[in-house]
Amino acid sequence: MKATEAAALPVRPGEDPWTPEELAQVRNQLQSEIAAQREELRESEDELANRLTDPVEGAGDDPADVGAKTFQREHDLALAYNTRDLLAKSERAIEQMDAGTYGVCDSCGQAIGKARLQAFPRATLCVTCKQREERR
C-alpha cells in the first residue's frame, strides 16, 4: 500500500496517521494467522472425516464411551467453527485494507483507533461500541 493510501485510513483524534510500515506489519500478522487458521481447519476437517468414515469406530463401546466420544466430537466441531469465524474476520480485515475502509467502526462509522487495531487487527467495532455491545 502506498504512503498516501495508508495515511488516508481513518484514525482517532490525536493519533498519527497510518504509515505503510505499520499497515504492512498488521497485514503480515493477519496473513500469517490466515495461513495457520487454514492449516488448522484442514487438519480438523481431515480428522473429522476419518472419524465419520471409520465403520468400526465405537463398535462395542459402552454408553459412557459413546458419550465421551460425542462430547469430544462436538468440542472439535465448536473449535473448527470458531477457527472458521476468525478466518473470515481476518480475510475481511485484509479486504478492508485493500478497499481503504480498514479501521472504520461497523456500528458508528467512526475510526476504531490504531492502537486497538495493532493489538487486535480483526476489530470491527471501536471501544465505545464494543463496550455497549458487551453490556447487552
Side-chain angles (χ1 to χ4, degrees), residues 40-105:
E40 185 178 332
L41 272 176
R42 188 192 60 73
E43 289 173 4
S44 173
E45 289 169 353
D46 288 348
E47 184 179 325
L48 184 61
N50 288 337
R51 281 189 200 161
L52 294 176
T53 58
D54 187 1
V56 294
E57 171 73 22
D61 287 349
D62 65 22
D65 289 337
V66 172
K69 287 180 181 179
T70 300
F71 176 80
Q72 183 63 45
R73 186 170 43 249
E74 289 175 1
H75 178 72
D76 292 343
L77 287 171
L79 290 175
Y81 176 78
N82 185 49
T83 301
R84 275 192 201 94
D85 186 49
L86 288 174
L87 176 61
K89 288 178 180 178
S90 297
E91 289 172 339
R92 180 172 180 246
I94 294 215
E95 289 169 5
Q96 288 177 325
M97 283 180 189
D98 294 339
T101 59
Y102 184 66
V104 178
C105 178

Side-chain angles (χ1 to χ4, degrees), residues 14 19 66 93 106 116 125 130:
T19 65
V66 172
D106 285 351
R116 178 166 169 71
L125 299 174
K130 184 64 176 174

Side-chain angles (χ1 to χ4, degrees), residues 102-133:
Y102 184 66
V104 178
C105 178
D106 285 351
S107 180
C108 69
Q110 299 297 314
I112 293 174
K114 265 175 56 173
R116 178 166 169 71
L117 290 169
Q118 287 171 327
F120 186 69
R122 293 176 297 278
T124 58
L125 299 174
C126 65
V127 172
T128 305
C129 292
K130 184 64 176 174
Q131 288 172 337
R132 189 178 309 122
E133 179 187 80

